[in-house]
Amino acid sequence: MRERITFVHGAEDDFDSSQLEVQNDSLYIKSLKAAREDRITFSFEELPQELWRVLKQCHELHIRWTSSLPYASVSPFNARVSPGFHLFYTPQRNRPAYVEDDLFDSSLYMLLK
C-alpha cells in the first residue's frame, strides 16, 4: 500500500518553520490552514481475493469522498466536487469473452454496497 497526503494552502497564508515537527516516522504541522487530500493506492496482492477478481476486470476505478463541511477553495484548485461518495468506473476495452457484463456489474455493486 502506498499513501500520499497532500496539503494545499494559499500563498497569502503564512507558514513558519516553528509549526513543523519532524520525527523518524512522522511529520506534524501545527495550525496549518490548508486543504488536505489523502490518496491510497493498493496492489492487487494486498486486496482480498473477491475484490481482486472484480477489480482485475477494470481499466480504471476511482473512489472519492468529499466532505460536506464548507471550505474556501485555493487557487489553482478552484474546481469543486459536490459532497458525498463518487465512483468512476471504466471497464477494460477488451474484456475476455467469459466475463459477462451482468455478472461483473452485480459483483462490483455487491462489493461497494
Side-chain angles (χ1 to χ4, degrees), residues 14-64:
D14 291 332
F15 179 78
D16 186 88
S17 60
S18 64
Q19 292 175 260
L20 187 64
E21 181 182 325
V22 180
Q23 298 178 357
N24 289 339
D25 60 350
S26 64
L27 173 68
Y28 181 73
I29 303 173
K30 302 174 209 164
S31 305
L32 180 65
K33 182 180 174 185
R36 177 180 172 153
E37 177 188 62
D38 293 77
R39 182 180 182 129
I40 301 172
T41 306
F42 297 95
S43 68
F44 281 128
E45 294 78 26
E46 296 173 295
L47 300 172
Q49 186 177 10
E50 306 84 37
L51 183 58
W52 178 82
R53 286 182 21 226
V54 171
L55 296 180
K56 189 168 97 171
Q57 301 169 36
C58 296
H59 175 67
E60 288 185 298
L61 181 68
H62 299 268
I63 301 172
R64 181 179 193 171

Side-chain angles (χ1 to χ4, degrees), residues 43-105:
S43 68
F44 281 128
E45 294 78 26
E46 296 173 295
L47 300 172
Q49 186 177 10
E50 306 84 37
L51 183 58
W52 178 82
R53 286 182 21 226
V54 171
L55 296 180
K56 189 168 97 171
Q57 301 169 36
C58 296
H59 175 67
E60 288 185 298
L61 181 68
H62 299 268
I63 301 172
R64 181 179 193 171
W65 178 82
T66 304
S67 174
S68 60
L69 298 174
Y71 62 93
S73 59
V74 177
S75 181
F77 305 104
N78 290 326
R80 292 184 179 254
V81 175
S82 59
F85 179 79
H86 303 270
L87 176 73
F88 303 96
Y89 160 69
T90 306
Q92 284 184 355
R93 289 182 181 93
N94 300 315
R95 273 202 273 184
Y98 64 84
V99 177
E100 298 177 26
D101 286 340
D102 291 342
L103 175 63
F104 174 74
D105 293 341

